[in-house]
């Protein structure tokens, strides 16, 4: 009887010891996981100095922001390429900035427009050309886009409004001062640049 009691107590002690060890290991593992997550979250918190005042900002996952950057790059390219003033230097500077964002297809279109005398007409007609982004259709798996916009050519006596639809591809590249989004547009072409309206401006 005494021997049986001793055996039962040993079994109970053994069970309690094993359970205590397992429980302690679980607490340690949970503690490590919590500490790791805390460190990761703290690394996402940055302080940016704004006029001498530290402002707390949060880092976000780059992959979550990538579609936004793709759209921003496409919009930026079209704005630079198609925003023109009657100033040869201004046109060249804008086009040069836009060509950092695209492959040779952008330069080919620029050469094509220049040979057609488009830029000379802008300068001689004292025209101002602007573009409005209406929408951008993205095909992320195939890295393709279609840009829908409206081009406005503001001349002295007339306001011409044109449809602007283009398409192309995009790919990731190294970020640089001339290409801060790290996106390169490829195989770009104009699908439709037809005239929507040509209105005479009132003379006062």
């Amino acid at each position: 009887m005494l021997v049986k009691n001793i055996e039962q107590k040993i079994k109970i002690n053994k069970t309690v010891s094993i359970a205590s060890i397992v429980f302690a290991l679980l607490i340690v593992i949970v503690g490590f996981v919590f500490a790791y997550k805390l460190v990761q979250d703290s690394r996402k918190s940055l302080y940016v100095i704004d006029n001498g005042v530290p402002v707390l900002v949060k880092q976000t996952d780059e992959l979550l922001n990538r579609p936004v950057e793709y759209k921003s790059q496409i919009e930026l390219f079209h704005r630079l390429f198609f925003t023109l003033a009657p100033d040869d230097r201004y046109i060249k500077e804008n086009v040069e900035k836009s060509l950092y964002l695209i492959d040779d297809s952008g330069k080919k279109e620029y050469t094509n427009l220049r040979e057609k005398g488009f830029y000379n007409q802008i300068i001689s007609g004292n025209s101002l050309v602007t573009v409005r982004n209406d929408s951008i259709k993205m095909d992320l798996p195939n890295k393709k886009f279609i840009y829908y916009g409206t081009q406005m050519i503001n001349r002295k006596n007339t306001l011409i409004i044109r449809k602007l639809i283009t398409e192309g591809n995009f790919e990731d590249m190294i970020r640089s001062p001339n290409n801060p989004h790290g996106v390169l547009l490829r195989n770009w072409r104009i699908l439709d640049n037809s005239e929507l309206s040509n209105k005479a401006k009132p003379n006062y």
Side-chain angles (χ1 to χ4, degrees):
M1 193 75 175
L2 183 62
V3 173
K4 285 184 178 180
N5 287 338
I6 292 171
E7 285 178 354
Q8 285 179 355
K9 286 180 180 180
I10 290 171
K11 285 182 180 179
I12 292 170
N13 289 338
K14 192 175 179 181
T15 304
V16 170
S17 298
I18 292 171
S20 299
I21 292 169
V22 171
F23 184 69
L25 284 172
L26 283 174
I27 290 175
V28 170
I29 291 169
V30 170
F32 272 122
V33 171
F34 180 76
Y36 177 78
K37 190 176 179 182
L38 200 63
V39 170
Q40 289 297 104
D41 289 342
S42 68
R43 285 180 179 174
K44 292 180 181 179
S45 298
L46 300 172
Y47 283 93
V48 177
I49 303 299
D50 182 18
N51 293 324
V53 179
V55 179
L56 178 65
V57 295
K58 286 281 187 181
Q59 284 183 329
T60 56
D61 190 346
E62 183 180 345
L63 294 176
L64 293 175
N65 277 339
R66 212 58 184 139
V68 176
E69 288 189 299
Y70 292 146
K71 281 191 174 184
S72 180
Q73 185 84 329
I74 294 164
E75 193 276 331
L76 176 62
F77 166 76
H78 286 82
R79 178 158 42 86
L80 288 171
F81 194 86
F82 290 105
T83 300
L84 309 168
D87 183 318
D88 188 54
R89 184 176 175 181
Y90 179 88
I91 291 172
K92 285 180 180 178
E93 286 179 355
N94 254 25
V95 171
E96 282 176 6
K97 288 177 184 176
S98 72
L99 294 181
Y100 282 111
L101 314 178
I102 196 168
D103 67 355
D104 289 342
S105 57
K107 192 171 184 181
K108 287 177 183 176
E109 187 58 40
Y110 169 63
T111 303
N112 181 42
L113 290 172
R114 189 176 60 191
E115 288 175 353
K116 287 180 178 179
F118 175 71
Y119 299 108
N120 288 335
Q121 290 174 17
I122 298 298
I123 295 169
S124 62
N126 199 30
S127 305
L128 181 65
V129 182
T130 56
V131 65
R132 183 186 67 211
N133 173 28
D134 296 327
S135 66
I136 299 172
K137 184 179 178 182
M138 305 285 292
D139 180 358
L140 292 175
N142 296 311
K143 293 203 167 183
K144 292 182 179 179
F145 73 88
I146 300 178
Y147 174 92
Y148 299 91
T150 304
Q151 186 182 35
M152 288 151 283
I153 304 174
N154 197 338
R155 293 178 177 167
K156 184 178 180 181
N157 298 317
T158 58
L159 176 63
I160 301 170
I161 298 176
R162 290 179 172 271
K163 186 188 300 182
L164 181 62
I165 303 175
T166 72
E167 70 171 5
N169 301 85
F170 53 89
E171 68 176 37
D172 298 318
M173 65 173 292
I174 297 172
R175 297 174 191 265
S176 69
N178 293 316
N179 193 332
H181 292 299
V183 181
L184 185 69
L185 306 186
R186 290 191 175 277
N187 308 317
W188 177 70
R189 66 192 185 102
I190 297 174
L191 297 178
D192 190 354
N193 193 213
S194 56
E195 189 174 293
L196 295 174
S197 66
N198 190 330
K199 297 179 181 178
K201 294 166 70 175
N203 294 319
Y204 297 105

